[in-house]
Amino acid sequence: MSFDYTPFFRSDLAAPAGRWGGFPAYNFVGGHNDAKSVPVDDLMASAAAVLAREGHALATYGLSSGPQGYRPLREGVAIQLKARAGLACTADDILVTSGSLQALDLINAALIEPGDTVILEEACYSGAMSRLKKCGASYIGAPLDGDGIRIDALTAILEGLKAKGVRPKFIYTIPTVQNPTGSVMPRARREELLKVAAAYGVPIVEDDCYADLIWDGNRPPAIKALPGGGRVIYCGSFSKSIAPALRVGYIVADWPVLSRLLPLKTDGGTGALEQMVLSEYLANGFDGHVTALTRTLQGKCAAMMEAVNQHFGSAAEFTAPKGGIFLWVTLPDAVDTGKLFKAAGAEGVAINPGSEWSADAAGGSHRLRLCFAHPSVDSIREGVAKLAEICHREFGVPVRSANVQRGGS
Ligand SMILES: Cc1ncc(COP(=O)(O)O)c(C=O)c1O
């Protein structure tokens, strides 16, 4: 007999979770990675080596490295950031977190009070927006172009806020392989962003978890690496470059910020075994792995774009992503992707409805995000064909008639 806790739950508790029902047949949601690309053998070898050498250090919280995380991992991350993002930092500037989601939670906990305003990108990571909402902050979506945040539009937003006496708590940006659009902000735009942020006295939160996965390998320097980057709090993660289930991310910030985040991280430390294995692996195979993973993802991206073109035709518009794991698709206004999400979900095709990835939820209701990293190429082809059929049935889009060639048939 279970006890009825209902009267004991706090009154503002979130709605109850549904039981997990397993993955859908065609899984285009979330940030899952390519399963075959997880470097299992190398991770096993790394685990064996590091445990044989240092396994007994697991006896203490934080190993022998203190609350910022396993020091050799932080040293390895610093080396990677210097080489890949031009970001000079040391292990002392890094806090290892349980995924970059915890990084965002810690940053919000340190900075956000109810009523605060944050500027983010008009198409934005839903996990960042839902967290800000939960903290009682409001956000404004800055318009994007193919190079990321439009500086003229951002300036207008900042000017408008200034006129109302509002200084935003920070500008949240995903500059390198933006989620969901897949754009990469060039260096010049990063410099402009820093200049505008400085002019209005606003900090920047740079969320860079996809930055290793750029098709042409041309990763610009991190915003934090550029002159004036002291105002930037930088977050990274191994979720997209290795595997999300590891739950290892990190924050790079100066000590006056890190020292305020540390007391908020009250979980006894991020999983030490994952940190140890990753640290070992970073020095032994990570670079080659990322190159191979990026090629695989690029192939799947091509398959996804081809399938969307084939089955939706001119009804679907998208810009080819420059890297990452998502395709951001715009359908005609008549399509409500919230409804499409339900109809497709009932038939085993899972999509992310655009309203959840848009600062202006209503404005994004005819868009959708498709993750191509996890499904196989066959599953991408079949799932997109099925999605187009369902969309046609529900909304008459894509249009199909005797005179219009039916994609995929
Ligand atoms: C932009 C962005 N930030 C943060 C996260 C959270 O990633 P994790 O906590 O797995 O590092 C995600 C996951 O999809 C993301 O897309």
Side-chain angles (χ1 to χ4, degrees), residues 147-184:
D147 289 340
I149 292 187
R150 268 180 40 207
I151 299 299
D152 59 336
L154 173 66
T155 308
I157 291 169
L158 285 163
E159 200 51 44
L161 288 173
K162 190 176 167 191
K164 288 193 255 173
V166 176
R167 174 149 63 152
K169 267 294 160 74
F170 55 81
I171 299 165
Y172 171 79
T173 178
I174 310 164
T176 324
V177 188
Q178 207 267 350
N179 179 0
T181 63
S183 68
V184 176

Side-chain angles (χ1 to χ4, degrees), residues 149-352:
I149 292 187
R150 268 180 40 207
I151 299 299
D152 59 336
L154 173 66
T155 308
I157 291 169
L158 285 163
E159 200 51 44
L161 288 173
K162 190 176 167 191
K164 288 193 255 173
V166 176
R167 174 149 63 152
K169 267 294 160 74
F170 55 81
I171 299 165
Y172 171 79
T173 178
I174 310 164
T176 324
V177 188
Q178 207 267 350
N179 179 0
T181 63
S183 68
V184 176
M185 188 186 286
R187 179 188 178 120
R189 182 71 64 92
R190 292 169 190 244
E191 288 167 346
E192 287 178 84
L193 177 58
L194 274 168
K195 250 190 229 157
V196 175
Y200 289 86
V202 183
I204 295 174
V205 174
E206 178 176 22
D207 188 347
D208 224 19
C209 64
Y210 299 96
D212 288 319
L213 308 175
I214 302 180
W215 307 151
D216 69 7
N218 285 329
R219 176 172 171 178
I223 301 173
K224 184 158 186 59
L226 296 170
R231 71 177 53 252
V232 179
I233 302 177
Y234 181 93
C235 316
S237 174
F238 291 102
S239 286
K240 316 302 171 180
S241 56
I242 301 186
L246 290 170
R247 311 307 306 133
V248 179
Y250 50 89
I251 296 173
V252 185
D254 298 336
W255 182 244
V257 174
L258 275 192
S259 63
R260 305 307 294 267
L261 300 180
L262 262 176
L264 300 168
K265 191 174 184 316
T266 54
D267 59 0
T270 290
L273 196 50
E274 289 85 343
Q275 294 187 63
M276 293 165 83
V277 173
L278 274 177
S279 165
E280 199 76 8
Y281 181 62
L282 263 192
N284 300 301
F286 179 75
D287 290 331
H289 157 75
V290 165
T291 305
L293 172 64
T294 305
R295 287 288 79 78
T296 300
L297 294 175
Q298 189 177 13
K300 287 189 169 188
C301 179
M304 177 64 88
M305 292 192 293
E306 193 184 305
V308 171
N309 277 332
Q310 183 183 357
H311 297 288
F312 282 87
S314 59
E317 290 175 10
F318 58 83
T319 302
K322 295 203 165 125
I325 59 177
F326 302 118
L327 189 67
W328 180 236
V329 179
T330 301
L331 294 176
D333 288 351
V335 179
D336 176 345
T337 53
K339 285 189 186 148
L340 181 62
F341 159 80
K342 284 195 190 122
E347 296 184 39
V349 184
I351 60 164
N352 285 125

